[in-house]
Every structure is written in C-alpha cells, then in structure tokens.
Amino acid sequence: MGKRFAVMAATMIFSASAAATTAPTPKAVVEHYAVVVYASYEDTLNAARHLQQAVDRFVAAPSADGLQEARKQWLAAREWYGQTEAFRFYGGPIDSATGPEGRLNAWPVDEAYIDAVKDRADSGIINNPKIAITKKTLMALNEKDGEENISAGWHAIEFLLWGQDQDINGPGNRPYTDFVDDKAPNAVRRRQYLKVATDLLLDDLTQVTKAWAPTAKNYRARFVANPANLGKMLTGIGVLSRGELAGERIEVALDTKSQEDEHSCFSDNTHRDVVANSRGIRNVWRGEFKRADGSVLTGPSLRELVAAKNKAAAERVDSDVDASVQAAESIPAPFDRAIVVGSPGRPAVEQTVVALKRQAEGLVVAAGVLGIKRLNTAVPE
C-alpha cells in the first residue's frame, strides 16, 4: 500500500468512525436509553435496600443513632431516585395506569393522615387501632378521599423519620422515642408503619426495575423494538423540565412561599431533589449516567442524533442542560427559606426556573429537528 493511499484509507476510517459517533441510528439511541434507565433504577433499588436495612435495625432497637442512620440512607437513596424521574410522563412502567408512581413519590403529604401532629395527638392511621397496618391497607388508603391523603412512598417515610418541620432554619426533629414503647403512644404501630411503608417502597422499585431489565419479555423489550419511542424520551425530559420541575415543584412554591408546597418538606431536602431531577434530564439528553460504583455509562444519545441534523440546536440544549444543573446546584438549603421574598437564596431559585424553561424550549426545537412536532412539555392531566 502506497503512503498516499494509506493516508486516504486512514482518513476514510476516521470519517466513518466520526460519522458513527455523531449520527447514531434512532434504534441505537432508544436501545442505549433502555440501558441507562435500567442502570438508574438498579442503583436506586440498591440504595433503597440500604435504607430498608437501616430501618430494620432501627425498628428492632430504636435509638438516636439508628434514627440518624435511617435518615442518612433515605437522603442517599433520594439522590438516585430523583434522577429516574426523567423516565416519567409517557405512560411507562413508572406512571402508567398500573404504575406505582403515585404510591412512590406522591406529595404534598397531609401529615395528620398518617400520625399525630402538633395539637392533634390522636390523629392519623397510626393512632387508629382499628386500621391494620399492612401493605394492602397502605396501598388502599393512599390518596383515598383526597390527593394529600398520602399513606405510602418516599414522603410518608420521610415524615416518619423527621416529623413535622417546625424549625425555620432546619428540618423536622422527631425524637427516636416516638418509636419506643412507654415513651410515646402507639410506638409499636409507628415502628410497624415505618417498616411496612419501607418494604412497600422496595416492592414498587423492584417492579419498575424488572420492567426495564435486559433479556426479558417486558416493557423494555417492547420499547426498544420501536425507534419512534425517541418521542417518549423527549416527552419525559420535556415535561419534567417545564411542567413538573419548573412549574409544579418550584414556581408554585415561589408563588405561595409556603413550606407546604416544597417537595421534601420534612427533611429539607428539596434543593437536592431539584439537582437530581436536573441531572436526570441531562443523563437522558447525553446518554450518560454515572453509576453508584463510579463507572460511567455512555452511548448513542439524543444529543448526537440531533447534532447530526442541526448542530446549533444540539449545542443549545447541551449548554442549557449544564446551565440548569448549575443553577439547581446554587439553590441554598433550606428551600423553604430560599423561596421567601427578600431571601438571598430566592434569586437562585428564580434563575433555576428560567434555566429549566429555556431548556424546555430548546428541547421542543430539538424534537422538531427529529421530526417530532408539537412536543408537549405540560404535565398531563
């Protein structure tokens, strides 16, 4: 082979490689999305198992240290779950008619529906001995007779671990003695409730993880068989960005300036919820996910697919997702103080809304590049 031909061949190989990198097929993008989804749920489930183990130890022998450890594991697991919310809003395994999302992450919570609150010592399921505390019961009572009648999921567990937040500068401060016999009424039922609610959380996370497992006849198999599901990927991150996160979770709280309208109000973890959701959107756009073991999944992405057709549109969204994560990371804790008018933290919250809205507009443009018209970024009714 002559030198000139060798250079030409090398150039052709490079060009082919570059084309493969910058112009993946829709099928390849959809298949890699499924890899990211499964990994995200798998890491969430594993983190929730650590929470379950901490809860088991705590209810077996309640102590101040045990309660702190359970709280620590709840916070750690939320970092992973928050990223999975980018896989919602298109009737998938998490929020289809039979999906468990409403049981996993419903909010805001009427605390008095679950347990005693300030000035209502006998309120709630826990203080009604006529109600058996079982998985079946908690499932049946969730959102019964009202959207705020939440009996299960992350925020029911959060309330049990932290209690009502009555400190303007910090989270709730439920004493561990609430779970100790002879120290608090119905302590045995409170331990039972915490255990059952946590086990139910694991059941629901296991259900959605299995739905995305590889080499199975499940939702994932059907999803990757249809490259048109690119539209669902964009719908998920578009709705989370504009309708749910910017709108329902932040703008409503900015408007009401009420602690009742923040997502994780008992633990004061709302600022981290916003960051995790923003990272989840970026994960989907770039086809990337940093796993719990530190490894990084990469592969064919929406970004590459859009860039192959309209580089400027792809670069805009790429810049927007970084800006949104950066803005979210600048929100100070506690969120319920940052949303108060005049608070030094309020501009950071407002800037996050601006960044998320701009990002959603860019995603609509990106969808159009792929031939997806009128991408809906509003929360479904």
Side-chain angles (χ1 to χ4, degrees), residues 33 90-93 96 210-213 216-225 229 232:
Y33 172 79
Y90 54 77
S96 67
K210 286 183 176 179
W212 286 98
K217 293 180 180 179
N218 56 5
Y219 180 87
R220 173 177 175 159
R222 299 189 296 277
F223 189 90
V224 301
N229 282 326
K232 291 183 177 178

Side-chain angles (χ1 to χ4, degrees), residues 49-350:
R49 288 194 179 105
H50 292 307
L51 168 63
Q52 185 184 45
Q53 292 161 4
V55 165
D56 285 350
R57 290 191 294 270
F58 175 65
V59 298
S63 68
D65 288 345
L67 182 57
Q68 281 301 109
E69 180 62 19
R71 290 171 176 171
K72 176 183 173 182
Q73 295 303 332
W74 186 94
L75 293 169
R78 284 290 291 179
E79 292 288 319
W80 299 106
Y81 183 77
Q83 295 178 72
T84 72
E85 293 205 88
F87 315 137
R88 290 186 51 200
F89 307 113
Y90 54 77
I94 182 68
D95 53 7
S96 67
T98 58
E101 201 283 331
R103 202 165 52 234
L104 270 168
N105 201 34
W107 69 286
V109 175
D110 177 2
E111 306 97 310
Y113 189 63
I114 296 175
D115 198 1
V117 294
K118 185 179 181 182
D119 300 327
R120 293 182 61 184
D122 60 349
S123 66
I125 298 166
I126 286 172
N127 296 299
N128 184 349
K130 295 180 180 178
I131 301 176
I133 298 176
T134 65
K135 291 180 182 176
K136 184 177 180 180
T137 304
L138 295 192
M139 291 170 68
L141 291 175
N142 195 57
E143 296 188 334
K144 185 177 186 294
D145 300 327
E147 291 184 351
E148 294 186 1
N149 290 343
I150 307 302
S151 61
W154 289 106
H155 301 296
I157 297 169
E158 179 195 7
F159 170 54
L160 288 172
L161 292 177
W162 274 272
Q164 287 182 287
D165 179 8
Q166 300 181 62
D167 182 345
I168 63 171
N169 295 312
N173 190 28
R174 181 189 290 275
Y176 82 92
T177 48
D178 275 8
F179 297 87
V180 178
D181 295 334
D182 301 326
K183 296 289 185 181
N186 293 309
V188 64
R189 287 177 58 82
R190 194 166 292 109
R191 296 197 300 272
Q192 189 179 10
Y193 197 118
L194 178 59
K195 167 65 176 166
V196 171
T198 304
D199 289 348
L200 183 57
L201 183 84
L202 268 290
D203 290 352
D204 288 337
L205 289 174
T206 299
Q207 175 186 325
V208 292
T209 305
K210 286 183 176 179
W212 286 98
T215 64
K217 293 180 180 179
N218 56 5
Y219 180 87
R220 173 177 175 159
R222 299 189 296 277
F223 189 90
V224 301
N226 185 2
N229 282 326
L230 286 172
K232 291 183 177 178
M233 295 168 57
L234 282 160
T235 296
I237 57 178
V239 174
L240 177 59
S241 183
R242 175 62 186 90
E244 182 71 18
L245 186 55
E248 299 287 338
R249 299 187 182 182
I250 304 181
E251 280 188 305
V252 171
L254 281 171
D255 183 45
T256 65
K257 300 172 281 295
S258 170
Q259 184 186 63
E260 296 301 316
D261 290 317
E262 70 161 323
H263 201 190
S264 294
C265 65
F266 310 116
S267 61
D268 273 348
N269 193 54
T270 303
H271 63 300
R272 293 304 308 173
D273 291 336
V274 178
V275 172
N277 286 171
S278 300
R279 288 178 177 173
I281 294 168
R282 187 171 64 182
N283 292 345
V284 172
W285 169 251
R286 293 184 178 168
E288 295 178 355
F289 177 58
K290 185 175 183 179
R291 301 209 57 176
D293 64 5
S295 63
V296 179
L297 284 177
T298 60
S301 65
L302 286 169
R303 172 174 64 176
E304 293 170 346
L305 196 60
V306 173
K309 296 177 180 294
N310 186 325
K311 186 178 178 181
E315 287 180 343
R316 172 186 168 174
V317 176
D318 212 44
S319 175
D320 288 347
V321 295
D322 278 338
S324 293
V325 171
Q326 185 176 7
E329 289 175 338
S330 71
I331 297 175
F335 182 86
D336 55 4
R337 297 302 299 160
I339 58 177
V340 174
V341 174
S343 163
R346 187 172 170 99
V349 183
E350 294 172 336

